[in-house]
Amino acid sequence: MALETLQDIENCMNSGWTDGLPVIPPYGSVVNEMLDATGWRADDVIGEFPEHNVIVRAEQAAATAVMAGCAMEYGSLLRSLTEALLDPKLNICGVEVTTGGASLMVVVSGPVVSQLGFEHGENALGANCRANATVGRFAQMMRLFCGRAGGVLQPHGTIGHPGRISFCVAEHPETEWGAYHTQMGIPEGASAVSVMSTEGPNSCNNHYGDTAAQILDTIGDCMCHYGQTAWYYRSGGFVVVIAPDHMALVSKEFSRDEARAYIYEHARRQTDDLERMGRIAQEPIAFAEVEPGAMRSPLRSADQLTFIECGAAGGRFSAVIPRWVGSTHIMTRQINEKASPSSREAAEGNSK
Amino acid sequence: MSELPKIKAEEGAVSVPAQQITSCDDVSCELLVDPIPRPTPEPLEVILKPTERRVRFVDHSKPNSIKILRMSQQILRDRGIEVEEEILNKGDASQRMPGELLGLLSREKGLVLCGVSD
């Protein structure tokens, strides 16, 4: 690498064009190549934050993709992901400023996982793989650049979590229950990218249970500790990551809908205990739907629970990922083979 | 090789990002594309010193927040400070403040205290 390039990296870092890690300098010629890969024109307006007087142009997203280290062949995926990121329903500005430890989790599902070389086996939630690392980093950099970096917003996260650097999960291309995106109404054979705001993953260990119910009860218990953010507002939901060894047990007895219903029914805590522990406000607002004496689910409804199938065989682990309570939508977009304006219309209204 | 501009961040402060960086090597120069969407014009002017000695509260609907705000109202009144009786409500702490409410607050001449956090 030429020394000039190292100096360019330093200049980017010193100018605030960074997420804290070194970036690929967004040279105009390279950004143009990324624009071609996404099918955007440089001046296309791809997002807007009217209250902040901020307009997001395609050139800025393409520059961010280059800086994050994304390969050009990710272009179609990045375009769909950007559309999801900048959809007002995702509330990306809320993720930037909340005291809660929220980051943007990206889920990639369908044939694109193999086509672009995403890691979906070993260490699937923190894969040392270019596709996972850079696509996840791109999403976080978009949050940062549209938020604090432009000078309008200030972050207030109390402790945050490591996913604010990069958090991208790829699902197995072949699944027991169907691709992740089928839960949002996108066809099984399609490729898709989803984004949502979440807390960090909780590892869920059960090595000695030998029934599906034991595994689901363990997962449900993990959702029900006192410290879960969900207890009061219940407006986020959870993502459950099931790895192959647990899936082999669960899928013998449960379909995805049955597992969802089982956890919703069984994973509960006594409301009065939650109140005693200070997990419910003394004078709850109506939205919280607090019923004294009732067994309370951390889910407002069963459809707030979605499942991802990934991870390696050879260990009986799953994971529970609480979604941030301030973002009620999972934004999913189908990935078109060739980026085109039509991808903007894809999957409109498929949020959950 | 021409000298590149050196942009040094101040110690402990968020630097004002450069609008454009030029990169030059032995054979060519090209601009680096600024990735950061910036507000045009600046969306808010924050006036730190109220022109009237009065306090207005805005509730974010956080757990117990309305109780805390009511107590704060009383404490301020006990100290002889004028406090608006009506506490405005933002509705949802995690969502942006609606433009109408923001416009109303921007015309307030007293001190505005927005919400109680977790």
Side-chain angles (χ1 to χ4, degrees), chain A residues 8 12 17 24-32 59 63 66, chain B residues 4-5 19-25 28-35:
Chain A
D8 290 341
C12 288
W17 296 13
I24 306 290
Y27 297 113
S29 57
V30 186
V31 173
N32 285 340
E59 186 180 57
V66 169
Chain B
L4 286 168
Q19 296 292 323
Q20 202 89 63
I21 300 176
T22 308
S23 170
C24 295
D25 60 19
S28 65
C29 286
E30 68 172 312
L31 294 175
L32 274 65
V33 177
D34 184 352

Side-chain angles (χ1 to χ4, degrees), chain A residues 4 7-8 11-12 14-17 25-31 48-56 59-60 63-64 67 88 91 93-94 99 145-146 149-150 152 232-233 281-283 285 324-327, chain B residues 1 4-9 14-26 30-43 60-64 66-67 93-97 99 102 117-118:
Chain A
E4 291 86 351
Q7 186 60 62
D8 290 341
N11 282 341
C12 288
N14 290 336
S15 300
W17 296 13
Y27 297 113
S29 57
V30 186
V31 173
E48 197 171 354
F49 302 98
E51 296 86 349
H52 306 152
N53 295 343
V54 167
I55 286 173
V56 186
E59 186 180 57
Q60 293 162 327
T64 304
M67 295 170 79
N91 191 14
C93 295
T99 54
F145 288 172
C146 291
V152 179
Y232 185 54
Y233 294 110
Q282 291 168 13
E283 293 176 18
I285 55 175
W324 176 52
V325 293
S327 180
Chain B
M1 187 187 96
L4 286 168
K6 300 288 193 304
I7 304 156
K8 183 78 179 167
V14 176
S15 62
V16 176
Q19 296 292 323
Q20 202 89 63
I21 300 176
T22 308
S23 170
C24 295
D25 60 19
D26 291 342
E30 68 172 312
L31 294 175
L32 274 65
V33 177
D34 184 352
I36 300 174
R38 301 172 199 282
T40 310
E42 286 293 329
H60 286 177
S61 306
K62 283 278 189 174
N64 302 322
I66 193 71
K67 285 181 76 172
S94 64
Q95 299 291 325
R96 294 174 215 159
M97 184 174 284
L102 191 60
S117 193
D118 300 275

Side-chain angles (χ1 to χ4, degrees), chain A residues 19-241:
Chain A
D19 55 353
L21 292 171
V23 296
I24 306 290
Y27 297 113
S29 57
V30 186
V31 173
N32 285 340
E33 201 180 334
M34 185 59 82
L35 283 165
D36 287 344
T38 58
W40 281 319
R41 287 167 302 188
D43 285 339
D44 285 349
V45 174
I46 57 172
E48 197 171 354
F49 302 98
E51 296 86 349
H52 306 152
N53 295 343
V54 167
I55 286 173
V56 186
R57 297 193 183 278
E59 186 180 57
Q60 293 162 327
T64 304
V66 169
M67 295 170 79
C70 295
M72 298 300 161
E73 57 261 40
Y74 305 165
S76 297
L77 183 153
L78 292 171
R79 180 178 177 133
S80 300
L81 173 57
T82 305
E83 289 168 5
L85 284 167
L86 296 177
D87 189 314
K89 281 186 261 182
L90 182 66
N91 191 14
I92 194 171
C93 295
V95 182
E96 179 68 340
V97 303
T98 178
T99 54
S103 76
L104 296 167
M105 183 172 80
V106 178
V107 178
V108 182
S109 50
V112 71
V113 171
S114 300
Q115 289 162 5
L116 296 181
F118 282 89
E119 178 60 75
H120 52 89
E122 289 81 9
N123 295 302
L125 300 189
N128 295 118
C129 166
R130 180 180 181 176
N132 303 56
T134 61
V135 168
R137 187 187 186 196
F138 167 75
Q140 307 307 325
M141 287 174 82
M142 285 293 289
R143 165 190 53 75
L144 178 67
F145 288 172
C146 291
R148 182 181 63 172
V152 179
L153 300 177
Q154 294 180 355
H156 297 285
T158 307
I159 52 173
H161 73 80
R164 282 177 79 90
I165 298 293
S166 177
F167 195 7
C168 175
V169 182
E171 190 175 53
H172 293 314
E174 304 295 329
T175 59
E176 294 289 335
W177 283 345
Y180 183 76
H181 53 256
T182 60
Q183 296 168 100
M184 287 70 180
I186 291 179
E188 173 67 29
S191 290
V193 62
S194 303
V195 63
M196 66 203 85
S197 53
T198 72
E199 300 180 355
N202 300 201
S203 181
C204 187
N205 181 330
N206 187 332
H207 272 69
Y208 314 119
D210 55 10
T211 69
Q214 286 171 309
I215 303 304
L216 293 181
D217 285 338
T218 306
I219 289 169
D221 192 61
C222 190
M223 289 166 51
C224 282
H225 64 73
Y226 277 129
Q228 283 295 357
T229 305
W231 284 122
Y232 185 54
Y233 294 110
R234 304 193 303 180
S235 47
F238 290 81
V239 179
V240 170
V241 180

